[in-house]
Amino acid sequence: MEWIVNYRDIRVKEKLGSDRYSAVNKAEWNNKTIVVKRFKYDDFDYLDFADCLRVSNHENILKVYGYTVRIDDHFYLLMEYADCGSLHEQIHGTGVEKYTRDTALNWMYQCAKGIAFLHQLIQLPIIV
């Protein structure tokens, strides 16, 4: 699969969220529903970041399909879409069912497994 994606091949849909560093939209690409995460292209080395995520094939980490850089000075990362929503939504969202202590422990375990894998992959602290 091609790692560098032509932005014109992506059909960006509704906004799912944003934070200080990025915005996330649902999108369609290559006949699949994905997430497009848009970053302001600044001094951070997004290509190294994307390359690291590209090789991170782990059950507890969303897959990265590719990236594109547009002339609007943004870096776009194409990622797997989690149709169950984010963990934040599962914990704090409106209209979600209460979860059990065992479910919360399972979520924590899955997060820890994913973070441990990333730490082994690059040998640098990911959470600072």
Side-chain angles (χ1 to χ4, degrees):
M1 184 179 299
E2 187 65 32
W3 182 233
I4 301 171
V5 176
N6 186 331
Y7 187 82
R8 286 175 276 183
D9 295 338
I10 306 166
R11 287 184 302 146
V12 178
K13 296 184 173 190
E14 73 265 18
K15 185 175 184 177
L16 299 175
S18 64
D19 60 27
R20 204 164 107 181
Y21 305 102
S22 65
V24 179
N25 287 76
K26 191 173 181 180
E28 293 291 325
W29 173 74
N30 269 10
N31 296 319
K32 65 175 81 167
T33 302
I34 62 165
V35 165
V36 175
K37 192 161 187 165
R38 183 189 69 191
F39 299 90
K40 177 79 172 136
Y41 204 64
D42 54 16
D43 290 336
F44 186 75
D45 193 346
Y46 290 105
L47 297 179
D48 279 351
F49 173 67
D51 242 8
C52 177
L53 291 176
R54 178 184 189 191
V55 297
S56 63
N57 186 13
H58 190 273
E59 65 181 340
N60 300 109
I61 300 173
L62 293 174
K63 291 180 183 19
V64 175
Y65 298 120
Y67 73 90
T68 188
V69 178
R70 292 196 45 206
I71 52 177
D72 67 355
D73 207 24
H74 285 87
F75 178 86
Y76 296 83
L77 197 59
L78 284 66
M79 302 177 70
E80 180 180 7
Y81 174 71
D83 58 359
C84 59
S86 70
L87 180 57
H88 185 270
E89 289 169 354
Q90 292 297 318
I91 295 171
H92 303 289
T94 57
V96 287
E97 295 179 25
K98 286 217 172 239
Y99 54 88
T100 66
R101 184 180 70 110
D102 286 345
T103 298
L105 289 171
N106 186 13
W107 289 338
M108 290 181 350
Y109 177 68
Q110 291 178 52
C111 289
K113 282 179 24 181
I115 290 169
F117 174 81
L118 290 174
H119 276 274
Q120 290 174 347
L121 186 66
I122 64 169
Q123 301 295 314
L124 292 172
I126 301 238
I127 298 176
V128 180

